[in-house]
Amino acid sequence: MPSDKNNKIPFNEDNYTHNIERNNERKLDRRGFMKTLVGAAGVFAISSLPWGMVAAKELMGLGEKEYPHKKITDVSKLAIGDAMNFKFPGDHDDAILIRLSEKKYVAYQNACTHLRCPVFWVKEEGEMICPCHHGKFDVETGVPTAGPPRRPLPEIQVKVENGAVYAVRVKRYEV
Ligand code: FES
């Protein structure tokens, strides 16, 4: 029975592997690889630039953070001179709102800047007190006035709108 194979090279070639030029192929590969690498690095650098700026700002504490505005209370529910606790910006971030006059409200994150004990508003003394190590803070500015704390309490900017008080953003500590 005749076979399909004649065991002959199909066409006359002295180098049957003529299409594989190893050295050149390697050079191309290396060059191609470098091009890809540089291209990818460039794309990465450019695409990450905005985030880099955000991170740098964040690390340097220059930015003020604006969060979705959060209603703290109705104006009618907080008498002048009184305070109330709320959470801002996250559900685990303790904060305190104090109504100083008809229209003036101040709010701070109320973890003491010494060792993070909760800070209380003492109406009679007109000061915010940290009971842990007798720290005190100025209610108008959040600046420490006594005890071990050295940094002010981070202030929360509030706004009054349609009879309600909203937390707007956390003001950063300025050096
Ligand atoms: S934790 Fe507030 S004074 Fe130490």
Side-chain angles (χ1 to χ4, degrees):
M1 185 176 165
S3 159
D4 292 348
K5 295 176 184 166
N6 57 14
N7 289 330
K8 281 185 185 162
I9 295 174
F11 27 87
N12 194 14
E13 294 271 9
D14 53 353
N15 178 8
Y16 197 55
T17 57
H18 70 286
N19 58 341
I20 303 173
E21 291 176 24
R22 286 189 165 272
N23 284 340
N24 278 343
E25 287 210 343
R26 244 187 236 146
K27 215 189 283 172
L28 272 178
D29 274 359
R30 208 175 295 139
R31 192 182 298 150
F33 176 70
M34 290 309 287
K35 272 187 187 166
T36 312
L37 206 65
V38 170
V43 168
F44 180 75
I46 289 166
S47 64
S48 63
L49 209 59
W51 296 111
M53 302 282 277
V54 169
K57 246 185 153 186
E58 194 64 19
L59 285 172
M60 289 159 72
L62 296 177
E64 285 180 6
K65 277 207 161 180
E66 179 136 7
Y67 298 93
H69 298 183
K70 181 178 180 180
K71 182 177 170 181
I72 309 171
T73 184
D74 289 317
V75 166
S76 59
K77 290 186 183 145
L78 189 67
I80 294 171
D82 281 353
M84 66 178 298
N85 291 327
F86 65 103
K87 305 280 185 188
F88 189 80
D91 291 341
H92 301 287
D93 300 312
D94 290 314
I96 186 167
L97 171 72
I98 305 160
R99 186 173 185 179
L100 294 178
S101 67
E102 180 63 31
K103 290 204 169 135
K104 184 163 186 187
Y105 296 82
V106 288
Y108 302 96
Q109 286 187 324
N110 72 338
C112 178
T113 54
H114 179 224
L115 291 175
R116 301 190 64 80
C117 283
V119 172
F120 298 92
W121 166 237
V122 184
K123 196 173 173 178
E124 301 70 38
E125 296 184 27
E127 268 177 317
M128 287 185 290
I129 308 282
C130 175
C132 289
H133 312 99
H134 311 292
K136 288 185 177 183
F137 296 88
D138 182 331
V139 69
E140 301 264 353
T141 60
V143 167
T145 53
R150 291 286 168 264
R151 288 172 294 123
L153 294 169
E155 186 183 343
I156 296 170
Q157 194 176 344
V158 295
K159 70 167 184 183
V160 179
E161 209 171 74
N162 302 326
V165 188
Y166 294 86
V168 173
R169 65 164 69 91
V170 179
K171 284 187 150 191
R172 288 306 169 100
Y173 169 61
E174 283 157 25
V175 253

